[in-house]
Amino acid sequence: MSLRDILTAQIHAQGPMRLDDYMSTCLLHPQHGYYTTATPFGTAGDFITAPEISQMFGELTGLALAQAWLDQGAPAPFTLAELGPGRGTLMADALRATSRVSGFVEAAEITLLEASPALREVQANTLKGHTPRWIDRISELPEQSTFLIANEFFDALPIRQFVRDGSHWRERHVGVTDGQLTFGLGPAQPQPALAHRLEDTKDGDLIEDCPAAAPLLSTISTRIATHGGAALVFDYGDWRTLGDTLQAVQDHAPADPLDSPGQADLTAHVDFEALLQAVPPCTASRVTPQGVFLERLGITARAQALAKSLSGAALEAHVAAHRRLTHPQEMGNLFKTFGIVPQGAAMLPGLET
Ligand code: SAH
């Protein structure tokens, strides 16, 4: 039975599905989920992420966390955490680069939040020689100083969509029409949690809500405020989302989100405003374009140093990777970053409050 058949049967039995349920089934279904079955990353996969583009991304972000660790008195032991580590490339590059920061790697207890058993195996393989521990829920983060990174994690969290109808909202659902999965709208209902969006929307506007995002960041902020640490988040998105940003990608090309459940990556823009509301009791930096942040951390100097030992096609690929990560017309502007630190602590390098 394919995932499409499973979803169709479920909708026939229980009625139209909420979009967040559809999205989490497509991504994480134990047998057919996109992340559970596929190895979607890298040039051979459906999409390519910053750490897969160049080792420089993991090196620089790892060093930024190590600087924050030094600024906070080099606590030992501490949790070095990553949310949704994919193939484990970022963590491996970060550990290699920070091995020169005295005491950092030795004191780091590597903790990975990963839902996919298949990707856990890939991560274990990439991180051979280290002893990572995997957690299923963010609440399992140890009660100790925590330095955490998340790249393209929040965009994979399931969203709900609501269309404004007067002072009420109609939730977008996935139903079945003539045997096909189709979008539909539920009944108009008040949504007290969306009251603030009545200010900046009009009838017919669509807005999105990612129910898991803020509670997750809130747990991280509480750990960091209580025990010290820092978090560095990268994703693409906007300040206060408006409009449908759900997207499916298969074989590096856009696809219809309902076309091949479980076989395409499904993501949505991150609403940085909603996410940053969960930061107190910590201090957040400004949301900063990825390109600006990487330039401030010295990516050009690092790129030049690496270029010295390259020639021919490898050199061309390296130059292209640098451009791809930083150029405003590539990932440099679309992707944004922010950091969080305890109140009164020095902000991560490359970011400002
Ligand atoms: N950070 C990686 C991979 C990004 S893709 C990179 O930059 O290459 C998203 C990652 O988050 C995958 O590892 C996926 O399996 C994981 N993931 C998605 N939803 C998750 C959830 N709800 N809980 C834990 N991990 C999740």
Side-chain angles (χ1 to χ4, degrees):
M1 210 180 190
S2 71
L3 191 53
R4 169 187 306 284
D5 295 339
I6 294 170
L7 288 162
T8 306
Q10 187 179 330
I11 292 166
H12 278 310
Q14 296 168 13
M17 281 179 100
R18 269 169 45 173
L19 186 56
D20 55 343
D21 293 333
Y22 174 78
M23 213 173 146
S24 70
T25 307
C26 287
L27 293 178
L28 297 173
H29 184 278
Q31 279 92 47
H32 306 285
Y34 181 72
Y35 288 123
T36 3
T37 54
T39 343
F41 312 98
T43 38
D46 290 316
F47 60 97
I48 184 156
T49 56
E52 303 295 333
I53 290 173
S54 168
Q55 67 186 73
M56 297 187 290
F57 188 80
E59 291 172 351
L60 291 170
T61 53
L63 287 166
L65 284 185
Q67 183 61 55
W69 177 77
L70 288 171
D71 289 342
Q72 292 183 33
F78 72 96
T79 302
L80 179 61
E82 185 174 355
L83 311 183
R87 292 159 51 96
T89 308
L90 190 163
M91 184 57 79
D93 291 335
L95 288 166
R96 193 184 58 252
T98 54
S99 64
R100 296 197 197 158
V101 179
S102 177
F104 182 80
V105 173
E106 295 72 14
E109 295 179 354
I110 302 164
T111 306
L112 309 174
L113 177 73
E114 174 55 67
S116 156
L119 286 173
R120 284 185 183 201
E121 263 182 51
V122 177
Q123 291 154 18
N125 200 35
T126 308
L127 294 171
K128 268 203 193 105
H130 298 280
T131 46
R133 175 181 158 237
W134 283 268
I135 56 174
D136 296 316
R137 272 171 297 278
I138 200 68
S139 57
E140 295 168 39
L141 273 180
E143 292 285 349
Q144 66 180 5
S145 176
T146 300
F147 292 80
L148 176 144
I149 191 146
N151 183 60
E152 289 209 52
F153 171 76
F154 285 97
D155 67 10
L157 297 180
I159 55 157
R160 299 171 72 179
Q161 292 184 328
F162 298 90
V163 175
R164 182 159 172 190
D165 184 345
S167 58
H168 288 35
W169 300 91
R170 300 181 67 185
E171 180 155 13
R172 208 159 172 228
H173 288 140
V174 177
V176 177
T177 313
D178 299 332
Q180 298 294 318
L181 294 173
T182 47
F183 284 118
L185 291 177
Q189 285 174 335
Q191 294 287 347
L194 301 179
H196 64 294
R197 296 308 306 265
L198 292 173
E199 292 160 16
D200 70 319
T201 53
K202 55 183 187 327
D203 243 10
D205 279 350
L206 184 150
I207 62 165
E208 297 176 335
D209 175 45
C210 181
L216 223 139
L217 193 63
S218 175
T219 303
I220 294 166
S221 296
T222 304
R223 278 295 183 290
I224 291 175
T226 311
H227 303 287
L232 192 51
V233 174
F234 292 85
D235 233 306
Y236 64 100
D238 318 282
W239 189 260
R240 195 174 264 221
T241 65
L242 181 63
D244 177 12
T245 74
L246 178 69
Q247 67 176 45
V249 172
Q250 202 173 0
D251 296 332
H252 296 271
D256 182 323
L258 302 183
D259 247 11
S260 30
Q263 286 163 43
D265 187 37
L266 293 180
T267 59
H269 283 202
V270 169
D271 180 347
F272 287 102
E273 182 190 45
L275 202 51
L276 285 171
Q277 275 166 4
V279 167
C282 281
T283 302
S285 75
R286 284 190 217 163
V287 177
T288 305
Q290 171 176 302
V292 171
F293 174 69
L294 293 174
E295 289 298 352
R296 286 181 185 158
L297 291 184
I299 193 170
T300 299
R302 179 66 182 136
Q304 283 164 349
L306 285 169
K308 283 192 187 131
S309 56
L310 298 172
S311 61
L315 179 60
E316 273 173 40
H318 170 64
V319 170
H322 176 214
R323 185 187 149 89
R324 193 151 175 206
L325 288 179
T326 57
H327 196 279
Q329 277 160 8
E330 304 229 12
M331 293 172 84
N333 242 352
L334 178 65
F335 281 78
K336 314 239 174 2
T337 182
F338 66 88
I340 67 174
V341 292
Q343 278 175 18
M347 186 39 77
L348 288 142
L351 295 173
E352 54 203 6
T353 47

